[in-house]
Amino acid sequence: MRMAAACLALTATATACSDATSGPHATSQAASGPQSAQPAFGTPTIPAPAAPGAQAASQSPAAAAKPTVYPSTRAAAAPLAKPRSMAALGDSITRGFDACSLPLKDCPSKSWATGDDVDSQAKRLGLPSNAVFNDARTGARMSELGDQARVAVGQRVEYVTVLMGANDACRDKDADMTPVADYERQLRNGLDVLRQGLPGVHVLVVSVPDVGRLWEVARGESFARTVWSTADVCQSMLADPMDSHPDSLARRQRVRDRITAYNDVLRRVCGEWSGQCKYDGGAVNAQRFGKNDLSHWDWFHPSGQGQAVIADLTMREGFRWQ
């Protein structure tokens, strides 16, 4: 298959087909300014980790994963005036990586947030192209949110979306995942930049997708397994995808548990900025993405169809606009 051969040839020289790609920034990043000594969001509160053995090692991630979806509060909220500008912060999902016809490339035209070749948030809001900014970077982790937020502050936008955290869980080894305390501190720092720099801004925080669902959907595809292995795609979850040994099942469950913890952080911290920060209620994490929702270049990133699904979910569970 020529498409498969092309992707394999490219992945042989590329660093990764996944968010681990660390190419040049898609947008110029503002210099890191001084950090707030006391973040406006207060002291992080980290839930105690689950006791060892709480999850049976032999239990499959598919059976053990129970994503929490919080009741939508969208209908209860008063409609807001539509924003006149927006910025999207995040990683390769927001950059539309691998969603176009050429592999290993950002495809912002397909972005769920800002794309003009998909029914994106920006398109549904009727925003002109000169008022829409995609400040995400392929490969970004939560540690970069503060820098991306400073770029958005400089753009003086009225609405910001944040989808970031898959790369914090997708590491070479699950032991390398970003600790929950660090993830919370970095999130608080980034939101504090927005709150101080754009006092009237509205921020939509999107739950981290369930990367275990990608393993469930695509592990039976031989090309997916080849790309995941060759390009080191999210090895904390996708290494040895056909291995059902208890150690492998437990490893995958640890990744899912970490993402659950990240999403709890997103919910709690966003909730402290009442009226201006909205969490998607876990909708994107709970979505049962199918094969056609995934890029068939890497079987990891959303396809154009998958990007449209995220746009639909986040508009439905996000702010209620007039």
Side-chain angles (χ1 to χ4, degrees):
M1 185 170 67
R2 280 189 288 181
M3 288 177 62
C7 189
L8 287 176
L10 285 165
T11 54
T13 56
T15 55
C17 258
S18 70
D19 277 2
T21 304
S22 55
H25 287 223
T27 58
S28 58
Q29 301 296 319
S32 299
Q35 303 295 315
S36 303
Q38 292 291 331
F41 287 92
T43 305
T45 304
I46 307 300
Q55 290 284 352
S58 60
Q59 186 178 20
S60 75
K66 294 181 180 178
T68 302
V69 182
Y70 293 87
S72 175
T73 58
R74 188 174 187 271
L80 301 170
K82 284 185 178 180
R84 293 168 294 182
S85 56
M86 73 173 287
L89 315 184
D91 51 34
S92 61
I93 297 175
T94 300
R95 289 297 299 168
F97 188 83
D98 265 357
C100 281
S101 57
L102 294 176
L104 304 179
K105 290 184 179 294
D106 288 346
C107 185
S109 66
K110 297 284 190 182
S111 171
W112 67 272
T114 62
D116 57 10
D117 194 26
V118 67
D119 199 14
S120 67
Q121 287 224 355
K123 203 169 183 179
R124 297 183 195 208
L125 290 169
L127 296 174
S129 59
N130 62 358
V132 176
F133 305 93
N134 192 319
D135 300 324
R137 185 186 70 83
T138 291
R141 299 198 289 274
M142 186 57 79
S143 59
E144 194 174 305
L145 180 61
D147 287 343
Q148 292 187 16
R150 291 183 186 90
V151 175
V153 168
Q155 293 158 342
R156 310 308 301 171
V157 295
E158 297 181 352
Y159 175 48
V160 173
T161 63
V162 177
L163 172 48
M164 192 178 284
N167 289 324
D168 292 272
C170 281
R171 311 295 293 154
D172 289 339
K173 299 178 180 178
D174 66 286
D176 297 332
M177 294 186 293
T178 301
V180 177
D182 291 349
Y183 185 86
E184 179 165 345
R185 174 178 52 79
Q186 294 157 1
L187 171 67
R188 289 178 179 276
N189 172 67
L191 292 184
D192 194 46
V193 170
L194 293 173
R195 184 153 77 168
Q196 292 186 22
L198 299 170
V201 73
H202 286 88
V203 180
L204 174 66
V205 173
V206 180
S207 54
V208 182
D210 176 14
V211 297
R213 174 63 181 166
L214 312 183
W215 169 75
E216 292 172 353
V217 167
R219 61 177 171 155
E221 299 287 335
S222 60
F223 182 57
R225 297 194 300 271
T226 299
V227 172
W228 293 348
S229 174
T230 303
D232 291 330
V233 178
C234 195
Q235 292 297 282
S236 54
M237 172 61 71
L238 302 177
D240 302 317
M242 302 303 286
D243 186 2
S244 59
H245 188 277
D247 288 347
S248 293
L249 296 175
R251 166 176 53 81
R252 296 183 194 113
Q253 189 59 47
R254 286 193 295 272
V255 177
R256 272 182 150 160
D257 289 344
R258 184 61 57 89
I259 289 176
T260 296
Y262 291 162
N263 285 331
D264 185 61
V265 166
L266 297 176
R267 177 186 60 82
R268 289 188 293 102
V269 175
C270 182
E272 295 172 16
W273 193 1
S274 180
Q276 286 181 248
C277 190
K278 182 77 169 66
Y279 176 59
D280 77 346
V284 169
N285 177 263
Q287 177 64 26
R288 304 286 289 174
F289 291 102
K291 288 184 178 182
N292 289 335
D293 297 323
L294 303 181
S295 166
H296 289 188
W297 286 117
D298 60 23
W299 292 91
F300 181 79
H301 292 92
S303 62
Q305 176 175 305
Q307 291 281 346
V309 169
I310 297 174
D312 188 59
L313 288 169
T314 54
M315 285 299 289
R316 189 168 68 235
E317 298 299 331
F319 292 101
R320 184 181 174 196
W321 307 108
Q322 291 177 348

